[in-house]
Amino acid sequence: MKRNIINVRLSANENFYGCSPNVFKAINSQTENISLYPNAPLKLKEVLANKYNISANKLIIGAGSVRIIENLILTFVKDDEEVLIFDNSFVAYKQLCSFHNKKCVMAKLDNGRCDPKKLLPLINKKTKLIFIANPNNPTGTIISHNELESFLSEISPEIIVAIDEAYSEYVFDDNFPDSIKLQEKYKNLIILHSLSKIYGIAGIRVGFGIADEKNIVKMSSKMLPFTLNTIAEAAAIASIEDDNFIENSREKNRINLKYLYENFVKLGLNIFPSQANFIYLWFDSEKEKDCFYNVLAQNNIIICDMKVFGQPNAVRITIGDNKVSRKIICLIKYEFIRNLKS
Ligand SMILES: Cc1ncc(COP(=O)(O)O)c(C=O)c1O
């Protein structure tokens, strides 16, 4: 009999547990409207405004947060101006700058962290936009409230700082920034969120930004009409409103992240302390990394080989459930480490 081999996909930082079952009901409830153009996403804005206790005028919605990242580049950076990012951070910042012919200046991470102090010497008159992923993808590390605030207090209010919180719902460190509070004080701060991670609707494409009302007006003028479709708005509302599903995903992630982290440390592997739904490991050589990757791939566990992002010695693993986490540690302990020693 032919056996179906199903790959466990741990390569793209999606929610391992899928999405809230309410999302399917919400999608079904909208099928009768699909021949009509979508309305402006006012309902979704209202839900988000209530959730964050802000005015709906401080929100912009996009088909995924990458669309808002692109929008920021188009809105705030002229041809001869510069965008400042970290060199081992979310790859879309650099890709979208290059797509739109904007110069990208890169700061080095500090021990896997987007330490904003590293940005200061690189700021000049041409710097118009800064991206900081918090937690950072791929390292999973965070910067604290105080670090972000002291950076904001030191730079010109003319420079837009986009703090990308795509993974913030997973964070359990109390020092994580209260970015909504900071945004009230620093009008140049723009917060980005994604519904592709803990909310589990990556395939539907929804993201949003929170910014000063004047900046939202500027950004909206560069947004394509009908950017959010009817099904996506309904799915987004259902996923945001299911607190149980979110809390459950967050807690399971916390437990399995801790389990993997502690075991990888015990096994002597190089790893950053992540606060997200993935972890980053690096090896002494590409050969060692390939061996680690292959041990998992041969057992149908597909992780992200960071070679595609120019880091041939590193991998990023999305956190799965108990069963898959235990399987990973077993395979690494008994196959990878044994291969290394032999
Ligand atoms: C830091 C970060 N920001 C944004 C995104 C993009 O999210 P979306 O699917 O909402 O475009 C990702 C996706 O991997 C990410 O890692």
Side-chain angles (χ1 to χ4, degrees), residues 131-160:
F131 286 107
I132 302 175
N134 198 34
N136 185 40
N137 174 13
T139 53
T141 51
I142 61 160
I143 58 163
S144 71
H145 188 93
N146 291 345
E147 283 175 300
L148 182 57
E149 168 134 47
S150 97
F151 175 66
L152 290 166
S153 69
E154 277 183 67
I155 64 163
S156 154
E158 302 296 313
I159 302 173
I160 298 290

Side-chain angles (χ1 to χ4, degrees), residues 64-66 90 137 164 166-167 194 196-197 205-206:
S65 57
V66 281
F90 183 39
N137 174 13
D164 183 345
Y167 303 94
S194 170
S196 305
K197 308 304 171 184
R205 314 299 304 129
V206 188

Side-chain angles (χ1 to χ4, degrees), residues 12-14 62-69 89-93 132-138 164-167 192-197 201-203 205-208 277-278 316:
N13 303 341
E14 294 129 337
S65 57
V66 281
R67 284 286 168 227
I68 313 220
I69 292 167
S89 192
F90 183 39
V91 67
Y93 308 144
I132 302 175
N134 198 34
N136 185 40
N137 174 13
D164 183 345
E165 298 192 345
Y167 303 94
L192 303 179
H193 277 279
S194 170
L195 272 81
S196 305
K197 308 304 171 184
I201 56 167
R205 314 299 304 129
V206 188
F208 61 95
N277 69 335
F278 53 85
R316 189 193 62 203

Side-chain angles (χ1 to χ4, degrees), residues 72 86 99 188 339:
L72 288 173
F86 284 91
F99 192 68
N188 55 332
N339 283 353

Side-chain angles (χ1 to χ4, degrees), residues 59-339:
L59 285 158
I60 186 161
I61 315 283
S65 57
V66 281
R67 284 286 168 227
I68 313 220
I69 292 167
E70 180 175 47
N71 177 282
L72 288 173
I73 296 168
L74 293 172
T75 307
F76 295 107
V77 192
K78 296 201 196 85
D79 278 350
D80 59 339
E81 296 176 336
E82 295 177 1
V83 180
L84 189 49
I85 61 172
F86 284 91
D87 68 348
N88 188 7
S89 192
F90 183 39
V91 67
Y93 308 144
K94 196 163 134 203
Q95 281 172 344
L96 287 164
C97 283
S98 121
F99 192 68
H100 292 290
N101 285 318
K102 306 291 184 217
K103 186 176 170 193
C104 226
V105 177
M106 288 200 257
K108 290 250 167 285
L109 289 185
D110 183 18
N111 208 11
R113 283 171 8 95
C114 297
D115 182 345
K117 283 202 290 294
K118 298 272 170 195
L119 299 168
L120 291 172
L122 300 175
I123 293 178
N124 62 47
K125 277 195 215 120
K126 290 186 172 182
T127 312
K128 285 289 133 72
L129 174 62
I130 298 175
F131 286 107
I132 302 175
N134 198 34
N136 185 40
N137 174 13
T139 53
T141 51
I142 61 160
I143 58 163
S144 71
H145 188 93
N146 291 345
E147 283 175 300
L148 182 57
E149 168 134 47
S150 97
F151 175 66
L152 290 166
S153 69
E154 277 183 67
I155 64 163
S156 154
E158 302 296 313
I159 302 173
I160 298 290
V161 177
I163 186 93
D164 183 345
E165 298 192 345
Y167 303 94
S168 60
E169 295 82 5
Y170 286 110
V171 174
F172 44 87
D173 186 325
D174 292 339
N175 295 315
F176 191 70
D178 180 346
S179 49
I180 298 284
K181 197 166 161 201
L182 290 176
Q183 203 289 315
E184 280 162 20
K185 185 163 169 198
Y186 299 95
K187 306 290 177 217
N188 55 332
L189 181 65
I190 297 184
I191 307 160
L192 303 179
H193 277 279
S194 170
L195 272 81
S196 305
K197 308 304 171 184
I198 207 164
Y199 295 104
I201 56 167
I204 294 181
R205 314 299 304 129
V206 188
F208 61 95
I210 301 172
D212 178 57
E213 289 183 28
K214 284 194 191 129
N215 282 333
I216 292 287
V217 172
K218 287 186 197 162
M219 291 163 75
S220 302
S221 71
K222 300 275 180 190
M223 202 47 117
L224 291 175
F226 307 121
T227 184
L228 194 76
N229 70 65
T230 311
I231 302 259
E233 183 179 21
I237 293 171
S239 61
I240 291 166
E241 288 184 334
D242 192 342
D243 292 338
N244 284 344
F245 177 81
I246 303 304
E247 195 40 48
N248 205 278
S249 302
R250 177 178 148 81
E251 184 55 13
K252 285 183 181 152
N253 184 74
R254 190 186 64 77
I255 292 166
N256 288 297
L257 173 64
K258 186 167 181 278
Y259 172 80
L260 284 183
Y261 180 81
E262 287 175 357
N263 278 283
F264 281 143
V265 169
K266 262 191 226 156
L267 293 171
L269 298 175
N270 303 311
I271 184 168
F272 288 122
S274 170
Q275 291 279 318
N277 69 335
F278 53 85
I279 41 175
Y280 179 90
L281 296 159
W282 70 98
F283 301 86
D284 292 340
S285 66
E286 185 172 352
K287 198 169 154 224
E288 228 178 82
K289 184 283 318 280
D290 283 346
C291 173
F292 183 100
Y293 181 92
N294 290 334
V295 161
L296 297 180
Q298 279 149 12
N299 288 277
N300 310 312
I301 298 175
I302 308 304
I303 61 171
C304 180
D305 183 340
M306 294 299 296
K307 188 173 182 174
V308 284
F309 301 122
Q311 298 164 47
N313 297 1
V315 295
R316 189 193 62 203
I317 310 177
T318 304
I319 308 298
D321 63 5
N322 259 324
K323 194 169 155 204
V324 70
S325 302
R326 267 154 230 284
K327 187 164 172 190
I328 290 174
I329 294 303
C330 249
L331 290 167
I332 297 309
K333 215 179 203 169
Y334 298 111
E335 293 194 26
F336 171 69
I337 302 283
R338 203 173 50 201
N339 283 353

